[in-house]
Structures are given as structure tokens and as C-alpha cells.
Amino acid sequence: MAWTQQEVRELKEGRYMLIDEEPCRILSIQTSKPGKHGEAKARIDAVGLFDGSKRSVVFPVKHKVQVPIIGKRQAQILSLGAAEVQLMDLESYETFTLPVDAETKETLTPGGEVQYLDAMGKRRITRS
């Protein structure tokens, strides 16, 4: 299990939640007042960590949502390929390859270190 549960009213901007099984960073939260026969609702705008697409959802504030467990880790660059980079985690010594775009590839050098996100079985380089 790579997520926990949390009520919508406990969420804050800049934190993370799962929308459509995709880890997303919360951009904004707007809450409405409760109606005569209803309860307060929250509109959440978020952006996907791995696909970059924007998503919006509306939930009652007492609704429980899934919050992914995000790991920020360090890795050493072993080799650079045409469109991917081979990395070794500095804690577990696991080696893996990640796709990399042209802009990020220019800043990478073999033997250097990068920071990457690990969430829900997916990985992405965040800082070089």
C-alpha cells in the first residue's frame, strides 16, 4: 500500500493526493458553505506529478481521499543514453533507467547526483 487516507478538509495547497490513480500536487482548494440540506463541498485543482495534466475534482469536505506516500531520494548517474539515464539509488544501491528530456539531459554528467521522486511505482527526476 503506497497511500494513506485523509479527509478533504485536512488537505492543504502544495500537498499531494490521488486523482484517477495518479499522484497529483494540489494547486488550489476552494470550499463552499453548507446549504440548507447539504454539506460543505471543496473544489480541488491539481496537476499530475508524472504526466503534467491538470485535474479538478469536487468532494464533500468530510469525504476521505487517498494521499500517496511520496519518496524524495538521491541517486548517482551511472550513464547517459540518447533519451534515458541510468541511475543508482544511494540508499538501496538499486540501478534503474529513467527517460529524460533534452533540457534536463544537458545538465546531467556521469558520476553526478540527482534527486528523484518515487510514488506509486513511478519515478521522475526532479533536481539535477
Side-chain angles (χ1 to χ4, degrees), residues 1-122:
M1 182 166 92
W3 52 268
T4 60
Q5 280 193 339
Q6 202 171 18
E7 285 189 3
V8 171
R9 70 172 131 212
E10 298 169 350
L11 297 175
K12 293 185 168 67
E13 293 180 13
R15 299 231 178 125
Y16 304 98
M17 71 178 288
L18 285 179
I19 301 175
D20 300 330
E21 298 297 321
E22 180 71 26
C24 299
R25 186 173 52 84
I26 298 171
L27 299 175
S28 66
I29 300 175
Q30 296 107 18
T31 57
S32 63
K33 292 182 179 179
K36 185 174 181 182
H37 298 290
E39 58 183 294
K41 297 203 175 24
R43 176 187 170 91
I44 301 170
D45 295 321
V47 62
L49 287 179
F50 299 106
D51 60 2
S53 64
K54 290 187 178 182
R55 295 173 169 86
S56 294
V57 291
V58 177
F59 289 123
V61 294
K62 293 182 181 179
H63 184 74
K64 291 191 183 247
V65 294
Q66 297 173 342
V67 177
I69 297 172
I70 309 266
K72 293 180 182 174
R73 301 178 179 224
Q74 295 283 3
Q76 181 179 9
I77 301 169
L78 297 178
S79 67
L80 290 169
E84 56 186 30
V85 61
Q86 185 178 16
L87 300 171
M88 178 182 67
D89 187 283
L90 292 177
E91 290 180 18
S92 66
Y93 303 109
E94 171 190 6
T95 59
F96 54 91
T97 58
L98 291 179
V100 64
D101 57 358
E103 293 176 12
T104 308
K105 186 179 176 186
E106 293 175 3
T107 63
L108 303 178
T109 58
E113 292 184 7
V114 294
Q115 183 181 36
Y116 70 96
L117 288 179
D118 183 18
M120 303 291 293
K122 298 179 183 178

